[in-house]
Amino acid sequence: MSDLSKKRRGLGIFIGLIVVVAIAAVAVTALLTNVFERKSEGRSPYLRLVEVNEDTTDPAIWGKNWPKQYDGYKRTAIATRTRFGGHGGSEALPEEKIERDPWLKRMFLGYAFSIDYRDRRGHAFMLSDQEQTERQTKPQSGSCMHCHASIMPVYRELGDGDALAGMNKTHAMSYQELNKMVHEMGHAHPVSCVDCHDPDTMQVRVTRPAFIVGVQRLAESDAPVPAIPSIDIWRKGSRSKPYDPNVDATRNELRSFACGQCHVEYYCSSDFPLTFPWSNGLKMEDLEKDWDETKLTSGARFYDYKHKESGAEILKAQHPEFELWSQGIHARSGVSCSDCHMPYQRDGASKVSDHWVRSPLLNVNRACQTCHHTNEKELLARVDSIQQKNFDLLQRGGTALMGLLDAVQEAKSAGATSEQLKPALEFQRKAQWRLDYIAAENSMGFHAPQEAARILAEAADYARQGQVEALKLAK
């Protein structure tokens, strides 16, 4: 090889090395730049473009600062459905439950739910669906807006700055009167960002006065609360101040408390202010005991309505998801509502909660498989098996309740008096409370499968006992 060839080869190698080094330098620089950008993004996950405060109830304004979360929030308007729940159609209002299960209509005779009782829809519809329901043809209390509008500024206005005092006035107002006030003040939005987040820090919090009072009563009881360890810690302290969920609860507990502000059992009518029945605990029997010990302003034992056929004093369950969840394995394992219904998702360097609140069955990868390392088909099969069993028990309970009502009618036709029917009607009250507790709860038993099955078994048992008592009088 000539000297010239050697020089050319050496020059080529040298140039090649320069190119390789240059490419490597560019790659390393790009990597470092990306890392720096991701770290910066992680330290500053959002940029405040507009100021928000306690009176900012319009989620679109919050969305200017937190567009990722707002994009998810808007998706709650998308129709979703699972086999045992939700609304998957395109009609203006969801399908009627009372048309699909006629025994529900008969169970609610004497109450507005016998007029209109529909499948659930996403949070985006929680105010409009309430405004459009045919139950509005009957007198409705202003208390009903507690969980359907971003109502805290209205409470503060009514209470001269005291939200609890304001809320306690709304039961005496008609729904139409309070709804008009909400619209006129510019707060006619469904549940909004300010209801669950501190506008200054964005910390998860609770705002609803009824929940704060209810959880304080729970803390002051001696009921076991394995799903809420902060209450046990508070109980062991001086108790010089009431339990404050925004101070004493852990962040993970608040990720369930925020949902528990509305997804609960409560009294919501005109006789006394909105009430969560948690003075004796969170089990179904604890709530029943609370209502049995409650008096109406007339001095009579509490009831939601008198059944039109039988005359029984009935307890109407609302939607006790929080209470049933508290009795299940997920709650006892520290799994919050948000972990399943608003699971974390990656967006660049940020980890954000998915604000498209929906069934975990529609989001198995992020909602379930982060803990359950099983394939999706198997997980869905397990859930379906649980829900099918509870659905079957629910239907059998409904059949048993219809048998009780038929027997009461026979007894009345045979001349039985109201006094003679009391034992049967007490069984109806207990049976119907248990049956409705699971029918109204939005998981078809999944939030606590064995507890739900136990409750439904008791419902059928009490219904059959009531049927026997009534048939004794029909002879």
Side-chain angles (χ1 to χ4, degrees):
M1 181 181 295
S2 67
D3 290 342
L4 181 60
S5 297
K6 289 179 180 180
K7 287 180 180 180
R8 287 177 177 171
R9 183 184 178 195
L11 181 60
I13 293 172
F14 178 71
I15 293 172
L17 286 172
I18 291 175
V19 171
V20 170
V21 170
I23 293 173
V26 170
V28 170
T29 301
L31 176 62
L32 290 174
T33 301
N34 183 265
V35 169
F36 177 78
E37 288 176 349
R38 291 292 177 261
K39 285 185 175 181
S40 297
E41 185 180 345
R43 285 193 298 268
S44 302
Y46 57 84
L47 177 65
R48 282 184 182 265
L49 300 175
V50 297
E51 286 302 313
V52 294
N53 57 42
E54 294 289 354
D55 291 330
T56 309
T57 56
D58 185 349
I61 297 175
W62 289 67
K64 294 177 181 178
N65 294 335
W66 298 279
K68 299 167 188 175
Q69 290 85 347
Y70 182 56
D71 284 345
Y73 173 92
K74 289 190 294 184
R75 288 189 178 95
T76 63
I78 297 174
T80 62
R81 187 172 186 85
T82 62
R83 192 157 83 90
F84 291 103
H87 166 62
S90 59
E91 62 267 27
L93 286 171
E95 183 182 353
E96 287 275 17
K97 289 184 179 181
I98 53 175
E99 292 179 1
R100 189 170 59 242
D101 289 318
W103 60 268
L104 283 171
K105 185 178 181 71
R106 190 181 181 192
M107 183 170 84
F108 292 135
L109 285 176
Y111 198 62
F113 274 74
S114 66
I115 301 171
D116 192 5
Y117 185 29
R118 298 177 184 272
D119 285 328
R120 59 188 178 273
R121 288 207 285 186
H123 285 170
F125 296 103
M126 63 196 309
L127 179 57
S128 60
D129 280 359
Q130 186 186 51
E131 291 172 336
Q132 295 180 57
T133 177
E134 292 178 29
R135 295 197 296 272
Q136 295 293 353
T137 59
K138 301 294 181 181
Q140 301 290 317
S141 165
S143 286
C144 297
M145 294 205 73
H146 179 270
C147 291
H148 288 267
S150 194
I151 200 169
M152 291 303 297
V154 182
Y155 283 166
R156 289 192 291 272
E157 176 70 18
L158 288 169
D160 295 323
D162 185 337
L164 176 59
M167 184 200 77
N168 286 341
K169 290 182 179 180
T170 60
H171 77 282
M173 302 172 68
S174 71
Y175 179 88
Q176 288 74 19
E177 181 183 2
L178 187 61
N179 181 269
K180 183 173 182 287
M181 185 175 180
V182 167
H183 278 270
E184 289 177 346
M185 288 182 65
H187 301 301
H189 304 285
V191 63
S192 183
C193 317
V194 73
D195 295 307
C196 303
H197 291 282
D198 184 300
D200 294 323
T201 66
M202 284 305 293
Q203 289 295 314
V204 178
R205 65 173 182 175
V206 295
T207 55
R208 293 297 193 268
F211 177 90
I212 293 171
V213 172
V215 80
Q216 286 174 346
R217 290 174 177 167
L218 174 64
E220 289 162 3
S221 75
D222 59 0
V225 282
I228 314 174
S230 67
I231 286 182
D232 279 331
I233 294 172
W234 177 86
R235 286 171 176 172
K236 293 172 183 175
S238 67
R239 302 195 184 197
S240 58
K241 295 181 179 179
Y243 176 84
D244 184 343
N246 288 314
V247 174
D248 299 310
T250 66
R251 183 177 183 280
N252 194 55
E253 288 170 341
L254 283 168
R255 282 163 54 83
S256 291
F257 285 0
C259 306
Q261 296 181 100
C262 294
H263 289 269
V264 289
E265 157 63 6
Y266 51 79
Y267 169 75
C268 180
S269 195
S270 58
D271 198 72
F272 55 85
L274 188 95
T275 301
F276 289 16
W278 294 348
S279 298
N280 298 299
L282 292 177
K283 293 184 68 174
M284 176 273 296
E285 293 92 341
D286 298 332
L287 276 59
E288 182 182 42
K289 183 174 185 288
D290 205 310
W291 291 136
D292 285 344
E293 293 172 346
T294 298
K295 301 292 184 183
L296 296 169
T297 53
S298 65
R301 180 184 66 166
F302 174 81
Y303 60 90
D304 283 288
Y305 69 102
K306 287 189 176 181
H307 194 270
K308 190 174 181 180
E309 275 189 24
S310 69
E313 297 176 346
I314 298 299
L315 301 175
K316 170 70 186 81
Q318 304 307 323
H319 27 66
E321 286 88 43
F322 181 77
E323 292 92 341
L324 189 62
W325 162 85
S326 74
Q327 304 304 305
I329 187 62
H330 285 95
R332 287 169 178 258
S333 300
V335 179
S336 73
C337 305
S338 298
D339 287 326
C340 301
H341 295 276
M342 301 175 65
Y344 286 117
Q345 59 185 6
R346 277 285 172 191
D347 190 295
S350 300
K351 184 178 78 168
V352 299
S353 289
D354 184 354
H355 280 58
W356 184 5
V357 185
R358 52 183 166 151
S359 169
L361 300 181
L362 304 173
N363 196 9
V364 171
N365 177 253
R366 286 190 282 110
C368 309
Q369 289 179 313
T370 53
C371 296
H372 299 283
H373 304 300
T374 307
N375 70 70
E376 182 171 326
K377 185 176 180 181
E378 168 60 19
L379 289 173
L380 288 171
R382 291 181 191 177
V383 176
D384 191 74
S385 176
I386 289 168
Q387 292 186 315
Q388 182 65 58
K389 290 180 175 69
N390 276 280
F391 176 79
D392 292 342
L393 287 170
L394 179 68
Q395 296 301 321
R396 293 178 74 169
T399 299
L401 182 65
M402 296 304 100
L404 165 58
L405 290 173
D406 288 343
V408 168
Q409 289 297 94
E410 289 182 42
K412 284 186 172 184
S413 297
T417 65
S418 298
E419 187 66 26
Q420 290 174 316
L421 281 168
K422 271 187 177 181
L425 301 189
E426 282 300 297
F427 279 123
Q428 181 187 347
R429 176 181 168 106
K430 295 177 78 66
Q432 196 160 319
W433 163 251
R434 285 158 175 76
L435 193 62
D436 191 24
Y437 197 88
I438 303 303
E441 199 275 336
N442 286 309
S443 76
M444 193 52 71
F446 181 76
H447 283 145
Q450 290 176 304
E451 176 73 354
R454 179 188 72 84
I455 291 169
L456 289 172
E458 287 189 6
D461 178 55
Y462 282 129
R464 293 306 184 190
Q465 288 189 61
Q467 183 180 10
V468 169
E469 290 296 321
L471 288 173
K472 291 177 183 176
L473 303 171
K475 295 178 180 178

